[in-house]
Amino acid sequence: MRTSPSLTSAQLAGAPLPSPPSSLPDYVADQLRAAILGGHVAAGTPLRQEDIAKQLGASRPPVREALRLLEGEGLVELRPRRGYVVASLNMTEVAEIFDIRERLEEHAAELAALRRTRKDVSEVAALLTRMEALDESELGLFAAANHAFHTRIFQVADRPRLLRMMLSLRETVERYIRLGGALSADMPTVRDEHRAIFAAFEAGDSVTLGRLSRAHVAGTGHRLLAALAAREQSHAG
Amino acid sequence: MRTSPSLTSAQLAGAPLPSPPSSLPDYVADQLRAAILGGHVAAGTPLRQEDIAKQLGASRPPVREALRLLEGEGLVELRPRRGYVVASLNMTEVAEIFDIRERLEEHAAELAALRRTRKDVSEVAALLTRMEALDESELGLFAAANHAFHTRIFQVADRPRLLRMMLSLRETVERYIRLGGALSADMPTVRDEHRAIFAAFEAGDSVTLGRLSRAHVAGTGHRLLAALAAREQSHAG
DNA sequence: AAACAGAATATTGAAGACAATCCTGTCCGG
DNA sequence: CCGGACAGGATTGTCTTCAATATTCTGTTT
């Protein structure tokens, strides 16, 4: 038995090597990212290189490279000579990220509204339909559908770097969203917002889509921060 | 003689180990970053791990970690099985970055105007004075002073992540700015913009400072893109 | 003479081993 | 009984070595 649990095998699921994503460090990074974003490893959890290497059937050097990669993404932190730990965000940092996302997603949405094609609209419509078919009992699936819906719209903007930045920021706060249950809260509101967003996208109304997208991010942020505040309150002491 | 020059010793200056920045990979990353941003290595230059390791007195594993770090920053690209090369940006990508910077810097400027203290104002004033004391003959010093001036203002916003993102984007296009000579072009305009920015900052006029900052970024972007276009024109064939 | 195929070389990708450092537990002293 | 110092163990940081693959050169063939 360990006194300070670092990472159990059950948290790193998946076959040993289903399809090597070009390189071993990338594969390791993918697995770790999924484990962290899936909320299977709590913030502050120390990431022992030896354990990870053994569980993924690799050696330590590739694991180190993967951790460097994740460090750049802000998912893990390096304490010199003390190893890597899963990065933790306080409420101030979460708020800052949502604040940035507001600006970025508003901009991307504006561009998307101007560049949309019929094909884009029909695909986004399909994603919206798929998302609305899910009820609150399938939160995992709903989160995935939600992600696909928004990402598909942003892809229309055709700004690779902007998209990468938005996704990275989103990923960073994603696990908190699930933790705080901010998605399930106020489901009808979220549904209405999605419909309005789609309508503006379909209509090609740039400023409206931008405004709605920004408000949507802000709303999610507020719900999450409220949930985190409540959580912190109950964990006080 | 090499047929395809990768990286000469002269391009990686500096003492072997002046002050170890906590870890060897970080040190290597710092050196490489400086070499790339300084414009000493052209875009597309292959980065041979063995050469870098030898020149910096390290081994290959730390170099690999450093390259992974830089990969996350977008300064180098990894071609699987073919090694790392200095990342190159086409004009579309440069334009995209400036477009993002407009939104980010506008936001940061707005926040800075609201949070400024007397101390902040006096320090920024000093930086402005220092910058104006330099003439066009000292472009390197001017660029540094310019960087310090804007960064100091953005620091007032007290948004660490936002600041990091802005600096990272700025760094990515920095070497093109020097290459294109976009800084020297239209020096009087730049000077006026800086004065207006300082005035709004001093006055605490949030929306004006935001608008001016955004326009300043846009102006720099336009000048740079024009310079790059001209350059491309002359290099045609 | 040019194009293709094969081999040799060079470079990346990965693994194992060694050294340095930090943490944990215990023992001793106040 | 509590606090500090020391020793043992564990973990990180780095190096050396080995394997796999892409590139390039050369030789041959058409």
Side-chain angles (χ1 to χ4, degrees), chain B residues 50-73:
Chain B
E50 184 71 41
D51 295 353
I52 298 169
K54 198 174 296 179
Q55 288 173 29
L56 264 48
S59 186
R60 274 182 54 218
V63 172
R64 290 179 65 86
E65 282 187 40
L67 289 170
R68 281 284 180 189
L69 215 56
L70 264 45
E71 181 187 2
E73 296 179 13

Side-chain angles (χ1 to χ4, degrees), chain A residues 64-65 99 107 159 161, chain B residues 64-65 96 99 107 159:
Chain A
R64 288 181 65 86
E65 281 187 43
D99 210 39
H107 182 45
R159 297 287 175 100
R161 199 169 195 114
Chain B
R64 290 179 65 86
E65 282 187 40
E96 181 182 357
D99 210 39
H107 182 43
R159 297 288 175 98

